Amino acid sequence: MSSTLHILSRLHDHKMPAALTRSLGSSDALLLTGEGVYAALSDRMALPENCMALQVDVEARGLLSAWPADIPLTDHTGFVALCVQHAKSLSWA
């Protein structure tokens, strides 16, 4: 079974796109980038267990002090590693 890296860069009406939620498989990962990092701060949003965020985007929005401990941050090198680890990637904007 191949896995997919889903890259969420923007929220729509403060929620994840329904198609993204339906598309997430058990071996998939979700990377929050850009405005998508706000998804981690919404208590209404159910994020998958394998979710992380791009640290520069969290820092750029001044969210580091409020960042949830259970959502790891990654740098650009980690982003590339995630792309290599998963068979395909899908960008959601």
Side-chain angles (χ1 to χ4, degrees), residues 7-27:
I7 305 163
L8 179 63
S9 61
R10 200 174 87 153
L11 295 177
H12 301 274
D13 299 323
H14 300 289
K15 59 185 176 182
M16 286 196 308
L20 167 57
T21 304
R22 287 191 306 270
S23 299
L24 283 167
S26 61
S27 62

